[in-house]
Amino acid sequence: MAGVSVATVSYVLNGTAPISDKTREKVERIIRETGYRSNMLAKSLRTNESRLIGILVEDITVWHTPQIIDGINEIAERQGYHTILSNLRLMSKIASRFEDISNYQEDIDREVDMLAGMQVDGIIYVGMHDRMLPEMISDIGKPVVYCYCYPMGRGSSVRYDNEEVLYQLTGLMLKKGYRRFGVIGGLEGSEPAALRLKGFQRAMKEAGIEVPPENVLCGGWNYKEGRETAGKLLDRKDFPQIIMAMNDEMAVGVYDAATELGLKIPEDVAVTGFDHAAIAQHISPELVTVERPLQAMGYHAMELLTEQISGREEENQDIILPCRIIPGASVRADGYR
Amino acid sequence: MAGVSVATVSYVLNGTAPISDKTREKVERIIRETGYRSNMLAKSLRTNESRLIGILVEDITVWHTPQIIDGINEIAERQGYHTILSNLRLMSKIASRFEDISNYQEDIDREVDMLAGMQVDGIIYVGMHDRMLPEMISDIGKPVVYCYCYPMGRGSSVRYDNEEVLYQLTGLMLKKGYRRFGVIGGLEGSEPAALRLKGFQRAMKEAGIEVPPENVLCGGWNYKEGRETAGKLLDRKDFPQIIMAMNDEMAVGVYDAATELGLKIPEDVAVTGFDHAAIAQHISPELVTVERPLQAMGYHAMELLTEQISGREEENQDIILPCRIIPGASVRADGYR
DNA sequence: GTGAAAGCGCTAACAG
DNA sequence: CTGTTAGCGCTTTCAC
C-alpha cells in the first residue's frame, strides 16, 4: 500500500471514522489508480452479513418467472441487496426422469444448502405453478418467502387472488346479461383452476343460476385440448352464450373452434381468458382476460423478506394480491340480449 | 466440535487427506446432527476460487433472456458453478430517464464492480438486442463472454447467424417459385435487421432478381407498424407474392392486413416471420419462421467461459450459431405457379 | 486521526 | 492418520 495502514483504508472506504482530508485524498487516489476493489467475501465473512439474497426458481423459462424476478430485483436494487439465482430447471428435469417426478427434493436441498453456505440473508422461492408445496426448504435460520406457491409448513408467501377475480369477472358477465355459461378449466386437480372455478360458482350461486355440469369441462391448459373442448361445448343445440377459458392459450382454441363452426365472436358466443399472455395479444376480437400482478408479487416478496431479515415483521404471512381484468371485444359491449 | 481438530473436519469434508473410518463416521455424524454447513465465503476467501460466475443481463423480461440463462445454468450445474444474477433492468430504466438513454454505463460499472468484488471467476453479459456494445465491461482480470451482442473492444461473444438463415430462407422461397418479394424490416439502423436483409439481398442477387426499393420497408418490429406496412405493400396492383417479415409480431400484422384486404394466405400472398415467438404459435395457417438457438447460445457461452477460466481457450473468440427454419403452411407447399 | 492486532471460518503446509 | 499453525482480506476495538 501507499503510506497508511489497512485500518485507515477501511475507514476511508466505509466512512466509519473521521479521517483528515489529506490522507483521504491520498488513499482515494491510490484506489483509483490501482483499480482496487474491496473483497466482498472477506467483508461479509467479517461483518457476518452478505446483503445477498437467494432466489430459488423452479424454472426460469416458465413465462411468469422472469417478471417476478424483475420485481424482486427492483426492490433489491433499491435496498442495496444483490441476488444469487438458482434455477432448479424442473421442466427439463421432470421430462428427463419422469419416473420419479417429485424426487426433486434433493435438488432443492442441495441448492438451499449452497445458498445457506453463501451466507445469504434470506431466500425467495418462486414456484412454477400456484400450488401448495409438499417439499420443504429445510430451516436454515434465515427467512424464506414463497412466491407463486405456498408452503405446507412454515414460511411466508405471496400469491394472487384466483378466486376473487373470477368471481368479479363472472359477475361482470352476469351483469351484461349472459346466462348460459361454459367453462374450460385446466388440468384435473389443479389448484388455481379449482379456485377460479370456485369464484365462478360463487357468483353463479349468488345470481341463482344453476350451471349444468356438462358445461364445465377441463381443457388441459393447452391450445389443442382447449379447442377440442370448445368444440364439444359449442357443437350442440343449446350451446353456451359465453365460454370462460381458464387461460389464454385455451381461449385461442375457443376462437378457432368457434370459427370452425361458423360462429362469430362475440355475436354468437363470447369468450374470456386468463393470463394476458403473448399468445392472445393480437387475436381478433381482442380477448377479455385477466392479468396477474407478477411484478407486484416480486415487489411484495422482496419487501416482506427484508422486513423479516430486519426482524420488523413476523413470519408466516400470506399476502394475496388482486388481479386486473383486461377489457376487450370478445364480449358484447352492449351486453347479451 | 466433538473430539477432533478443525483440520480433520476439513479433511473429511473435502476428502483431501486419508482419514480413519472411525473418525470419519464420528465427524459425519456430528455434521448431520448439528446441521453444520461449511461457510463458502470463508472457503472461497481461502482458496481464492469462488466457482461463481456472474450473469449480467440487460433485461430479464426480454423474451430471449431467460432461455439463454437456462442454457447457461444447465452447463453451470454440470460444471459445479453457481451463478449470481445482475439484472440491469434497462427496459424500465430507459423508459424512466429517456433524456440520457445510453447513460447506463455507470450502471454496468457498478454491477461489474460488485461482481468482481464477489470474486466471480468470470462474467457472461447477455444483451437485449443483437448489436455491438459501445459500453465496455472494464477489465477485471477475469474472462468475459458476451452473449446476444458483441463488444467493440476485447472479449469473446456468442451470437446467431442472422444473415445466413435469411439467405437460406430466401433461397427456399426462390426455389418454390416466388419472384416478387416484399420485406418488412425492423427499426431503421437495427443491426440484426440489416444482416437479415443482407442475406436476403445476397440470395436475390445470386438469383439475378432485382428488388424494387419500394418493396423493402421498415415495420418498427411491432404489430401495429407491421400491419400498416403490410397494408402499403399489399394495397397496390402488383403486390408481392410473398412478404418476409423480420419478426413474428410483424408477421401477425401481415396476416391481419391481408385478411382486411380480402387476401388469402398462402394462396394470394405468402408470409414468413422470424423468432418462433409465442404470439404466432397458433395463428392460422401456421407461420413459416426462424428459430434462434437461444439455449444453445447459453451452453456455448458458459462452455467458452469455463474454457477461458481454466486457460484452455484463448480470448476474443466469436462464435456464431446457426438458426433453424420452422416449416409451416403460410407458404404454398406446392410452390408458386 | 491513525495504527496495531485480533479474529471471522476455512484450507494447506508441516510435524508428529 | 491427525493436530498445530499461518494466513486469505477485511472490520473493529483499543491505544496512542
Side-chain angles (χ1 to χ4, degrees):
Chain A
M1 42 212 95
V4 296
S5 75
V6 284
T8 309
V9 178
S10 176
Y11 298 146
V12 172
L13 243 38
N14 303 303
T16 170
I19 297 283
S20 77
D21 287 358
K22 202 164 50 114
T23 0
R24 175 193 282 92
E25 270 160 34
K26 190 164 54 184
V27 172
E28 283 173 345
R29 189 171 49 77
I30 300 291
I31 285 178
R32 233 174 301 115
E33 285 173 3
T34 58
Y36 166 86
R37 233 184 305 261
S38 96
N39 183 324
M40 303 300 278
L41 262 40
K43 183 171 183 162
S44 297
L45 179 60
R46 181 58 231 247
T47 60
N48 203 29
E49 69 150 24
S50 62
R51 291 205 84 73
L52 213 56
I53 65 124
I55 305 183
L56 185 49
V57 307
E58 291 191 339
D59 200 301
I60 199 175
T61 62
V62 174
W63 126 265
H64 63 256
T65 306
Q67 306 248 54
I68 294 176
I69 294 178
D70 195 62
I72 295 172
N73 284 328
E74 180 164 347
I75 307 299
E77 182 176 339
R78 197 177 305 163
Q79 313 228 26
Y81 279 92
H82 279 94
T83 57
I84 141 157
L85 176 74
S86 283
N87 182 7
L88 292 169
R89 314 189 56 257
L90 290 195
M91 295 287 267
S92 24
K93 282 186 182 156
I94 285 176
S96 62
R97 45 169 155 120
F98 45 92
E99 66 285 355
D100 54 337
I101 287 183
S102 66
N103 196 12
Y104 45 81
Q105 176 69 54
E106 62 188 51
D107 284 290
I108 297 181
D109 286 346
R110 194 161 34 78
E111 291 307 308
V112 168
D113 235 63
M114 182 265 156
L115 290 173
M118 290 296 296
Q119 311 304 110
V120 295
D121 295 337
I123 292 181
I124 297 178
Y125 184 98
V126 181
M128 59 190 242
H129 305 303
D130 176 27
R131 70 184 193 297
M132 180 164 79
L133 287 175
E135 318 81 29
M136 275 299 298
I137 292 193
S138 50
D139 191 13
I140 56 165
K142 306 275 160 132
V144 177
V145 173
Y146 295 80
C147 201
Y148 212 93
C149 59
Y150 59 103
M152 198 166 63
R154 55 179 60 260
S156 294
S157 59
V158 177
R159 295 183 285 158
Y160 63 95
D161 201 334
N162 279 299
E163 183 183 341
E164 182 60 21
V165 71
L166 235 99
Y167 172 74
Q168 289 170 10
L169 185 59
T170 307
L172 231 57
M173 297 303 120
L174 285 166
K175 213 183 297 172
K176 280 192 186 285
Y178 288 103
R179 289 295 172 268
R180 281 202 318 280
F181 284 70
V183 173
I184 303 183
L187 239 31
E188 196 91 40
S190 146
E191 271 193 58
L195 285 170
R196 291 172 201 176
L197 194 61
K198 198 168 151 198
F200 166 77
Q201 297 282 20
R202 181 154 62 90
M204 295 305 275
K205 191 164 181 183
E206 284 181 13
I209 298 176
E210 222 22 72
V211 185
E214 67 269 23
N215 275 20
V216 179
L217 303 176
C218 283
W221 294 126
N222 63 63
Y223 168 82
K224 190 161 155 289
E225 286 183 56
R227 181 170 180 166
E228 290 164 5
T229 310
K232 280 182 218 153
L233 244 26
L234 292 173
D235 197 14
R236 50 199 199 203
K237 215 170 54 231
D238 245 29
F239 66 82
Q241 299 156 343
I242 179 168
I243 294 185
M244 302 182 82
M246 293 314 175
N247 75 6
D248 286 358
E249 194 166 332
M250 298 189 296
V252 174
V254 179
Y255 271 56
D256 290 350
T259 306
E260 205 175 20
L261 292 166
L263 300 174
K264 281 240 167 306
I265 298 169
E267 292 81 358
D268 302 319
V269 59
V271 183
T272 68
F274 201 107
D275 283 355
H276 201 213
I279 194 178
Q281 220 71 280
H282 293 299
I283 55 174
S284 169
E286 256 181 284
L287 180 65
V288 173
T289 187
V290 171
E291 186 184 63
R292 290 107 98 223
L294 299 178
Q295 297 239 16
M297 287 169 69
Y299 300 158
H300 282 86
M302 186 64 201
E303 266 161 8
L304 190 52
L305 190 69
T306 50
E307 297 277 295
Q308 289 182 182
I309 288 171
S310 58
R312 256 172 295 139
E313 200 66 74
E314 51 175 309
E315 310 223 344
N316 298 331
Q317 298 215 33
D318 194 11
I319 297 181
I320 305 223
L321 301 173
C323 296
R324 196 161 68 93
I325 293 174
I326 307 287
S330 64
V331 167
R332 289 166 169 238
D334 53 353
Y336 189 80
R337 285 155 305 205
Chain B
M1 43 212 94
V4 297
S5 75
V6 283
T8 308
V9 177
S10 175
Y11 298 145
V12 171
L13 243 39
N14 304 303
T16 169
I19 298 282
S20 76
D21 287 358
K22 201 163 54 117
T23 2
R24 177 193 281 91
E25 269 160 34
K26 189 163 56 186
V27 172
E28 282 173 345
R29 189 171 49 77
I30 301 290
I31 285 179
R32 234 173 299 118
E33 283 171 6
T34 58
Y36 166 86
R37 234 183 304 261
S38 95
N39 183 325
M40 301 302 277
L41 262 41
K43 182 172 183 162
S44 296
L45 178 61
R46 180 59 230 249
T47 59
N48 203 28
E49 69 150 25
S50 62
R51 292 204 84 75
L52 213 55
I53 66 124
I55 305 184
L56 185 50
V57 307
E58 291 191 341
D59 200 301
I60 199 174
T61 63
V62 174
W63 127 266
H64 64 256
T65 306
Q67 306 247 54
I68 294 176
I69 294 178
D70 195 63
I72 296 172
N73 284 328
E74 180 165 347
I75 307 299
E77 183 176 338
R78 195 177 308 163
Q79 313 227 26
Y81 278 91
H82 279 94
T83 56
I84 141 157
L85 175 75
S86 282
N87 182 7
L88 293 169
R89 311 189 60 256
L90 290 195
M91 296 286 268
S92 27
K93 282 188 182 153
I94 284 175
S96 62
R97 45 167 154 122
F98 44 91
E99 67 284 355
D100 55 337
I101 287 183
S102 67
N103 195 11
Y104 47 80
Q105 175 70 53
E106 60 188 52
D107 284 290
I108 296 181
D109 286 346
R110 194 160 36 77
E111 291 306 309
V112 168
D113 235 62
M114 182 266 158
L115 290 173
M118 290 296 297
Q119 311 303 110
V120 295
D121 295 337
I123 293 180
I124 297 178
Y125 184 99
V126 181
M128 59 191 239
H129 305 303
D130 177 27
R131 68 182 195 295
M132 182 163 77
L133 287 175
E135 319 83 27
M136 274 300 296
I137 292 193
S138 50
D139 191 12
I140 55 165
K142 306 275 160 135
V144 177
V145 173
Y146 295 81
C147 202
Y148 211 93
C149 59
Y150 60 102
M152 198 166 62
R154 54 179 61 259
S156 294
S157 59
V158 177
R159 296 184 283 160
Y160 62 95
D161 201 335
N162 279 298
E163 183 183 340
E164 181 60 21
V165 72
L166 235 99
Y167 172 73
Q168 289 170 9
L169 185 59
T170 308
L172 230 56
M173 297 303 122
L174 284 166
K175 212 182 297 173
K176 279 191 185 289
Y178 290 103
R179 289 294 173 270
R180 285 203 313 283
F181 284 70
V183 173
I184 303 184
L187 239 31
E188 196 91 41
S190 146
E191 270 192 58
L195 285 170
R196 291 172 201 177
L197 194 61
K198 198 168 151 201
F200 166 77
Q201 297 282 22
R202 181 154 62 90
M204 295 304 274
K205 191 164 181 185
E206 284 182 11
I209 298 175
E210 230 11 82
V211 184
E214 68 270 23
N215 276 20
V216 179
L217 303 176
C218 284
W221 293 127
N222 62 64
Y223 169 82
K224 190 161 156 289
E225 287 183 57
R227 181 171 179 163
E228 290 165 6
T229 310
K232 280 182 216 151
L233 243 27
L234 292 174
D235 197 12
R236 51 196 198 207
K237 215 172 51 236
D238 246 28
F239 65 83
Q241 299 156 340
I242 179 169
I243 295 186
M244 302 181 82
M246 293 312 174
N247 75 6
D248 286 357
E249 194 167 333
M250 299 189 296
V252 174
V254 178
Y255 271 56
D256 290 351
T259 306
E260 205 174 20
L261 292 166
L263 298 174
K264 280 241 168 304
I265 297 169
E267 291 80 359
D268 303 318
V269 59
V271 183
T272 68
F274 202 107
D275 282 355
H276 201 213
I279 194 179
Q281 219 72 280
H282 293 300
I283 56 175
S284 169
E286 256 181 285
L287 180 65
V288 172
T289 187
V290 171
E291 185 184 65
R292 290 108 95 224
L294 299 178
Q295 297 240 16
M297 288 169 69
Y299 300 158
H300 282 87
M302 186 64 202
E303 266 163 6
L304 189 52
L305 190 69
T306 50
E307 297 277 295
Q308 288 182 184
I309 288 171
S310 58
R312 255 172 296 138
E313 201 64 76
E314 52 177 307
E315 310 223 343
N316 298 331
Q317 298 216 32
D318 194 10
I319 297 181
I320 306 221
L321 301 173
C323 296
R324 197 161 68 93
I325 294 174
I326 306 285
S330 65
V331 167
R332 289 170 171 234
D334 53 351
Y336 190 80
R337 284 155 305 206

